[in-house]
Amino acid sequence: RIVEAVGQTLMAFDSRVAERRVFVAAEGEDRLVHLLSVEHFQPHEQMEVLHRQAGDGPKQVGFELGDNILKRVLSKVSQVHECGDSRRKLDKLLLHQLTLVLIFLLLGREFFGRIGGLLLATLLAVSRWDINLSRIGMYNISTALFALLTIGFLLRGIRRRRLSDFGLAGLSLGLGLCFYAAFQLFVIVVAAFLLALLVTHRGFFRQYWPGVVAMALMALLVFAPVLLFAYDNPNDYFGRTRDTSLFAGKSPEQRMPALIDNTIKHLSMFNIEGDPNGRHNLPGEPMLDPISAALMVLGLGLAFWYVREPLWLLLPVWLGVMILGGILSLDFEAPQSLRAVGTLPVAYLLAVVPLYLLWRAWMSSDGHYFPSLYAWVALALLLPITFLNYRMYFSTWANDFASWNAFSTPE
């Protein structure tokens, strides 16, 4: 059913792509409505109609294909046919839930083992950053799902040496490219990881080149309709990127200071000062809770310690590349957690690193006689993390005037 839905959507998009010059999207103007008890945010549909009629909304081409694939897949699998604002939010909430399940079943097993996968799924399940973007119906949240799927299937393909796993990695990569333009940066992450494997592992190319080729061809096949549109209509496709570029309207002398300032703001958004936009974050609050932020910094240091191994090198490269989506965008919005959403999954991957290494050291020492004690250590961290995110999101953030103002329609 999923393959059938994807195929139907690709064919439908391909047949319309020459006729539809641009997709005017007000998804970025989406409003939080009466979903899961938060009441003071208003729906965006009036604004969406006005944007479409006036033709002055933000031009974003590419995620139309991703959203259509998502709707067809969910219709095939769940036979649910609701429409409108609630359906859009349901789609993204299901993406959030699917991400958690697949983290545990796929990426956790391939990267950290089952314990690490459970820890990662728990951290993402209670993350207010992830929950917020899912609940307000932002298609950008698909970046986390498809990035994790791509790496998970790639690692499984390397372990099992099956073309099907590489094909699924390519499918995930191609679908991610159909949802959000900033996901294009993730191609660099995958390429850097494969290059590191090629350099450090003798015989890697000889053993795995068929799988890598299969992954690349599958990604190209899925992304081909969007590439065709971009080739035929470059101004429409790249217009939004040009408009939101950090260097738009700046002289050569202004560019370097703006780049440095934006870099500092985005590097500090995880644990010092976060996104000021009330739709994306409680204005000014760090994107991570204090415990997760501290674990992330510790995990980043440990990843650099083991950086000679490609799997550990992947994590800082992933963080450094995907944060460019925010760094290279408008400086007056900095830090921009939405355009840097590709850092969301790797931030929590890094937070799991010290917990995973503690588990590994525990089980390799006398601690393996008392494995249940580690669960209490993990709970001593996970329970406060859950409480901090819950209180921030459902109490402090939900009653913040700046957040209410950012979601209100008069803008």
Side-chain angles (χ1 to χ4, degrees):
R1 285 180 174 180
I2 292 176
V3 172
E4 178 187 359
V6 172
Q8 289 177 352
T9 306
L10 289 173
M11 289 187 292
F13 187 86
D14 195 31
S15 65
R16 301 195 316 269
V17 76
E19 301 174 3
R20 301 190 63 175
R21 303 286 296 179
V22 67
F23 181 72
V24 179
E27 194 81 37
E29 308 292 339
D30 209 353
R31 307 292 180 266
L32 188 61
V33 292
H34 303 279
L35 184 64
L36 301 181
S37 81
V38 177
E39 299 178 359
H40 65 255
F41 300 120
Q42 301 178 16
H44 80 296
E45 293 184 346
Q46 293 90 344
M47 287 293 291
E48 183 178 34
V49 171
L50 291 174
H51 278 314
R52 290 179 182 275
Q53 291 176 348
D56 61 349
K59 297 180 179 179
Q60 182 80 1
V61 178
F63 78 84
E64 176 191 17
L65 176 58
D67 266 1
N68 286 341
I69 289 176
L70 178 60
K71 291 172 185 175
R72 287 179 182 268
V73 168
L74 291 176
S75 296
K76 290 286 184 182
V77 174
S78 64
Q79 301 299 318
V80 176
H81 301 285
E82 291 91 343
C83 60
D85 197 65
S86 296
R87 176 55 191 266
R88 276 191 293 272
K89 290 172 173 58
L90 174 63
D91 292 348
K92 279 65 180 184
L93 283 169
L94 290 178
L95 275 182
H96 174 70
Q97 300 303 320
L98 185 61
T99 302
L100 301 179
V101 173
L102 291 174
I103 283 172
F104 176 65
L105 295 179
L106 179 63
L107 185 70
R109 178 178 178 181
E110 300 300 332
F111 209 111
F112 293 124
R114 295 175 63 183
I115 294 297
L118 182 60
L119 292 170
L120 178 60
T122 303
L123 289 177
L124 277 174
V126 302
S127 165
R128 56 184 170 84
W129 186 3
D130 195 9
I131 291 172
N132 176 64
L133 295 182
S134 302
R135 291 183 63 197
I136 64 175
M138 301 298 286
Y139 63 92
N140 318 68
I141 198 60
S142 63
T143 299
L145 171 63
F146 291 117
L148 292 168
L149 278 179
T150 301
I151 295 299
F153 281 121
L154 178 58
L155 293 176
R156 194 169 77 167
I158 292 172
R159 177 174 61 86
R160 304 199 308 178
R161 300 185 183 181
R162 293 185 182 178
L163 287 178
S164 58
D165 291 323
F166 285 99
L168 289 170
L171 176 64
S172 304
L173 183 62
L175 288 174
L177 292 170
C178 292
F179 272 78
Y180 188 38
F183 190 84
Q184 295 168 12
L185 292 167
F186 198 69
V187 176
I188 302 174
V189 177
V190 175
F193 178 55
L194 292 174
L195 180 61
L197 288 170
L198 183 65
V199 171
T200 59
H201 288 67
R202 182 178 299 177
F204 178 83
F205 179 79
R206 183 178 65 256
Q207 294 179 10
Y208 295 105
W209 73 264
V212 174
V213 170
M215 180 179 68
L217 289 177
M218 178 62 77
L220 182 62
L221 175 65
V222 174
F223 191 51
V226 181
L227 284 176
L228 178 61
F229 186 95
Y231 179 79
D232 291 337
N233 308 275
N235 291 331
D236 290 336
Y237 184 78
F238 295 105
R240 177 65 174 166
T241 302
R242 286 195 298 266
D243 292 343
T244 59
S245 170
L246 171 65
F247 305 123
K250 286 185 171 59
S251 64
E253 295 77 16
Q254 296 174 317
R255 293 177 179 178
M256 185 55 66
L259 179 61
I260 294 174
D261 185 58
N262 245 21
T263 301
I264 294 173
K265 287 181 178 179
H266 281 84
L267 290 176
S268 62
M269 75 176 183
F270 302 100
N271 51 17
I272 298 178
E273 184 176 359
D275 197 323
N277 190 330
R279 287 193 299 268
H280 306 160
N281 182 40
L282 179 62
E285 285 295 315
M287 302 310 299
L288 305 182
D289 62 88
I291 300 175
S292 297
L295 288 172
M296 175 197 163
V297 173
L298 181 57
L300 184 60
L302 290 169
F304 277 117
W305 182 263
Y306 297 105
V307 76
R308 292 186 178 182
E309 284 294 323
L311 195 59
W312 293 103
L313 175 64
L314 170 65
L315 296 178
V317 169
W318 186 343
L319 181 69
V321 171
M322 297 308 289
I323 204 172
L324 292 175
I327 291 175
L328 298 179
S329 64
L330 297 170
D331 53 349
F332 67 84
E333 296 179 346
Q336 236 284 2
S337 64
L338 185 62
R339 298 193 184 107
V341 70
T343 62
L344 190 158
V346 71
Y348 286 101
L349 274 168
L350 288 167
V352 170
V353 166
L355 300 178
Y356 165 70
L357 292 178
L358 176 61
W359 163 257
R360 197 170 69 177
W362 185 280
M363 297 306 293
S364 63
S365 64
D366 291 340
H368 73 276
Y369 293 112
F370 311 98
S372 60
L373 288 180
Y374 178 83
W376 291 103
V377 175
L379 282 175
L381 293 173
L382 295 178
L383 289 178
I385 289 174
T386 302
F387 172 74
L388 289 171
N389 280 277
Y390 179 88
R391 184 181 64 179
M392 178 69 72
Y393 188 73
F394 290 100
S395 179
T396 309
W397 191 354
N399 295 286
D400 182 72
F401 175 79
S403 179
W404 175 87
N405 192 49
F407 276 101
S408 61
T409 55
E411 66 179 0

